[in-house]
Amino acid sequence: AVSIIKHANPCGYATGRSLKNAFERAWQGDPTSAFGSVIALSKPLDMEVAELLSERFVEVVVAPSVNKDAFLYLKALGKEKVNLRLLEVGELTRSDSTLLRYINGGLLEQEADNKFYLTASFQELFTKPFVAKCENSGKELTVGIVTKKSLPPTRIGLYEFALRYIKHLKSNAIGIVREYSNGHYQVLGMGCGQPNRRDSVALAGQKAIDNLKLEYDQRESRRGEQGRKVKGSAEKYITTELGSDRVVLVSDAFFPFRDGIDNIAKYGVKYVIQPGGSVRDDEVIKAADEHKIAMLFTGVRKFYH
């Protein structure tokens, strides 16, 4: 896995069959913002990734360790990479149950944000809507598939990836993620830190379109170099990808009005995961049904400030 961080937000995030593959897919999430970023790796920094780093401006790379050949290669670049910092952190196996946050005059100790749904497993949400109780607030919340259309239960890995991604984005946050190959995932677009959720949807949707357009152009360029005939248009490719069951939009909190769903429909996304819990949930669900969008409620908000 590779995460690309810019101004404390993961603008790119992906898993892959190799670290190089994950790096390239994560970079694709937002090539513009990745300039001058901090990059975190789940595996030791190897030679393949070092070669990719030599072609890009990156401030910091955080990894469990750095392979000797990769270190010597980057060091030999001299002035070209004089500002690149490599930070070895060891294996990240610890999961703290509490977090400390600085506040004026002291520290705030709070529970770690490690709960993603009110059920014991994600599989339990693939049923008709039912009521589950939140242990912290004591509130009873509707969870499960709340629309006429259902999300494919075969994509649970994608949904888990999406939920773990959205918790790290500043609120209001929207993420559009894709399973680009079997069992491997990437962020296509994100919108975060906005005063309203509708704007976050627009940012994530436009970024996803831009990134898919770039992907299409790169693919067709390779096809042209191989003398193969170009098939279809960029618009058709983008529409097909965003509307497929390999793509899901995830929200860190509920949609307070139907306009967020109406906006999602403009981008062609057909699968949505959100906590639910708004006084206008019925209105939001109705909008999803009108647009033939499948929507699932988790019951857990992921606000991050």
Side-chain angles (χ1 to χ4, degrees), residues 1-302:
V2 173
S3 185
I4 299 177
I5 313 296
K6 195 65 176 291
H7 296 295
N9 279 300
C11 62
Y13 179 41
T15 60
R17 61 182 179 275
S18 68
L19 202 61
K20 177 184 179 182
N21 180 226
F23 185 101
E24 291 173 328
R25 289 287 178 169
W27 192 274
Q28 181 186 347
D30 193 340
T32 301
S33 300
F35 182 84
S37 58
V38 173
I39 297 181
L41 314 176
S42 67
K43 300 290 185 182
L45 171 56
D46 58 23
M47 191 62 186
E48 285 189 326
V49 173
E51 290 175 345
L52 292 175
L53 289 169
S54 71
E55 305 166 356
R56 297 166 168 85
F57 172 56
V58 174
E59 296 275 7
V60 181
V61 176
V62 182
S65 62
V66 180
N67 292 352
K68 185 176 180 180
D69 58 343
F71 172 72
L72 293 176
Y73 171 79
L74 291 171
K75 186 178 180 181
L77 294 176
K79 292 183 178 180
E80 184 180 341
K81 288 296 173 186
V82 70
N83 287 322
L84 176 63
R85 295 109 167 143
L86 303 181
L87 179 62
E88 292 185 324
V89 294
E91 293 297 329
L92 300 176
T93 56
R94 187 178 65 182
S95 178
D96 291 332
S97 58
T98 59
L99 295 175
L100 296 177
R101 295 288 297 269
Y102 287 101
I103 59 174
N104 189 22
L107 290 171
L108 170 67
E109 182 180 6
Q110 58 187 6
E111 294 178 15
D113 184 20
N114 293 327
K115 191 172 183 64
F116 298 93
Y117 28 80
L118 290 184
T119 50
S121 68
F122 201 92
Q123 287 86 342
E124 295 177 52
L125 294 172
F126 283 84
T127 181
K128 293 181 179 179
F130 64 97
V131 174
K133 188 174 183 179
C134 175
E135 295 178 3
N136 286 340
S137 67
K139 291 183 178 180
E140 293 186 337
L141 299 166
T142 298
V143 298
I145 296 174
V146 296
T147 49
K148 296 176 182 178
K149 184 178 177 180
S150 178
L151 287 80
T154 54
R155 302 288 183 188
I156 286 180
L158 171 65
Y159 310 144
E160 295 272 15
F161 175 89
L163 288 172
R164 278 156 179 75
Y165 172 67
I166 201 69
K167 68 170 278 188
H168 296 288
L169 291 179
K170 298 295 191 300
S171 303
N172 289 306
I174 296 291
I176 298 176
V177 300
R178 171 174 66 167
E179 184 169 7
Y180 67 89
S181 67
N182 188 30
H184 299 135
Y185 315 104
Q186 70 174 139
V187 173
L188 283 178
M190 67 90 158
C192 65
Q194 301 303 304
N196 68 77
R197 197 159 301 279
R198 184 176 59 185
D199 287 350
S200 291
V201 170
L203 288 170
Q206 189 56 55
K207 180 58 67 175
I209 288 173
D210 292 344
N211 290 337
L212 288 171
K213 174 64 165 58
L214 179 61
E215 180 177 278
Y216 173 86
D217 290 343
Q218 291 172 342
R219 288 187 179 188
E220 296 311 304
S221 177
R222 289 193 295 269
R223 289 171 63 91
E225 291 172 0
Q226 297 166 0
R228 299 168 62 188
K229 186 178 179 180
V230 174
K231 295 182 179 180
S233 65
E235 290 74 16
K236 183 177 180 180
Y237 177 75
I238 292 168
T239 300
T240 300
E241 286 297 305
L242 287 179
S244 77
D245 65 2
R246 300 185 306 276
V247 171
V248 66
L249 181 146
V250 60
S251 175
D252 66 344
F254 58 68
F255 288 93
F257 302 97
R258 67 165 289 158
D259 57 2
I261 303 301
D262 293 333
N263 212 15
I264 290 170
K266 295 177 183 177
Y267 297 100
V269 176
K270 295 298 182 183
Y271 301 92
V272 173
I273 297 175
Q274 62 136 318
S278 167
V279 295
R280 295 184 179 85
D281 274 347
D282 289 344
E283 177 184 318
V284 171
I285 293 169
K286 181 180 178 181
D289 283 334
E290 289 176 6
H291 295 296
K292 295 181 171 55
I293 290 174
M295 188 161 60
L296 182 148
F297 283 5
T298 64
V300 178
R301 296 195 297 180
K302 309 304 293 182

